[in-house]
Amino acid sequence: MDHRFNVPVVKLRENDFGVSYHICQSRKLNRSITAFSNLCFDNMLIYEMDPEVTWYCERPLESQVIIDGKNYEIKPDFYVQYQSGTEYFDWICYTNSDLKNELGHIKSWCRQMGYQYRIRTATDIYIGDFYIRNIKYLFARSCRNQLRNASIDKVIKHFLEENTHITIGQLMEHGLISNFDGIQIF
């Protein structure tokens, strides 16, 4: 399937001295993904593990917007596409005030281009005491799991269609997976 943004804008690691750098393999995108901050990396893991997200791209583009005769650079952190067809350009920052000087430029560019945007802050990303920790654990397990079982996938997908949301514990209670192999499947 073709997506609007497939390849991130190249950003050299030495451009951001002293900032965290992460690189790992994405099962969803089938390529290496990179992040230049812990906040962006944690946000990216949320996209990777969210079944509603069908596609995302870090650093999808660099563009410009002209406001009152002046050029301003626009560099969204992510492009995200959901199963519903909804698309967003996301900017990641610790607080809304981090983007207060750029927010008007972002809004103008999105309005001119016909795009939707979101500002995702640390509050949006760190929604609970264990949320990111669990996402990281499941992501790491999924990266190590090379075994695919089409029949189990089919049964679980059918079960999810009937029940909308389900936990791994509920799958075990229904006998679809065992305590021993449950985490290996996911």
Side-chain angles (χ1 to χ4, degrees):
M1 180 175 181
D2 288 333
H3 298 280
R4 195 185 323 215
F5 300 97
N6 292 311
V7 180
V9 172
V10 174
K11 181 176 178 181
L12 300 176
R13 186 174 179 184
E14 58 265 11
N15 286 355
D16 286 336
F17 181 78
V19 177
S20 301
Y21 178 74
H22 302 272
I23 185 168
C24 62
Q25 187 66 24
S26 165
R27 288 182 75 171
K28 189 173 276 188
L29 305 180
N30 198 27
R31 66 171 173 80
S32 291
I33 53 179
T34 57
F36 288 85
S37 74
N38 290 334
L39 192 63
C40 280
F41 181 70
D42 292 345
N43 185 70
M44 193 163 30
L45 292 182
I46 291 170
Y47 296 152
E48 185 71 23
M49 300 304 291
D50 184 347
E52 297 295 316
V53 172
T54 57
W55 190 259
Y56 67 91
C57 183
E58 72 276 23
R59 299 177 314 281
L61 60 85
E62 290 180 355
S63 187
Q64 292 184 355
V65 64
I66 299 173
I67 301 172
D68 294 330
K70 294 182 182 178
N71 272 349
Y72 297 97
E73 285 190 359
I74 300 295
K75 296 180 182 180
D77 293 310
F78 292 97
Y79 162 79
V80 186
Q81 183 179 31
Y82 289 88
Q83 281 183 357
S84 65
T86 306
E87 301 171 304
Y88 291 98
F89 281 100
D90 287 350
W91 277 262
I92 310 301
C93 57
Y94 283 95
T95 65
N96 282 332
S97 61
D98 293 344
L99 285 177
K100 67 180 177 183
N101 295 334
E102 300 171 52
L103 191 54
H105 310 148
I106 291 169
K107 287 180 179 180
S108 293
W109 178 77
C110 288
R111 191 172 35 255
Q112 287 177 17
M113 302 302 289
Y115 295 137
Q116 294 186 67
Y117 75 94
R118 292 184 301 194
I119 308 299
R120 290 184 45 85
T121 65
T123 306
D124 300 317
I125 295 166
Y126 302 117
I127 59 175
D129 293 339
F130 302 106
Y131 181 68
I132 290 297
R133 189 185 82 180
N134 290 341
I135 291 282
K136 286 180 178 181
Y137 176 77
L138 291 171
F139 176 73
R141 294 296 293 207
S142 73
C143 288
R144 286 188 214 103
N145 181 12
Q146 301 302 319
L147 302 174
R148 298 299 302 165
N149 187 325
S151 62
I152 291 175
D153 288 350
K154 185 177 178 181
V155 169
I156 291 172
K157 284 180 185 178
H158 178 70
F159 198 78
L160 282 171
E161 288 170 0
E162 292 177 354
N163 297 290
T164 317
H165 292 87
I166 191 160
T167 65
I168 292 172
Q170 290 170 321
L171 290 172
M172 286 189 246
E173 287 172 13
H174 286 86
L176 297 174
I177 59 175
S178 71
N179 192 19
F180 174 74
D181 68 357
I183 200 68
Q184 299 302 326
I185 293 170
F186 297 101

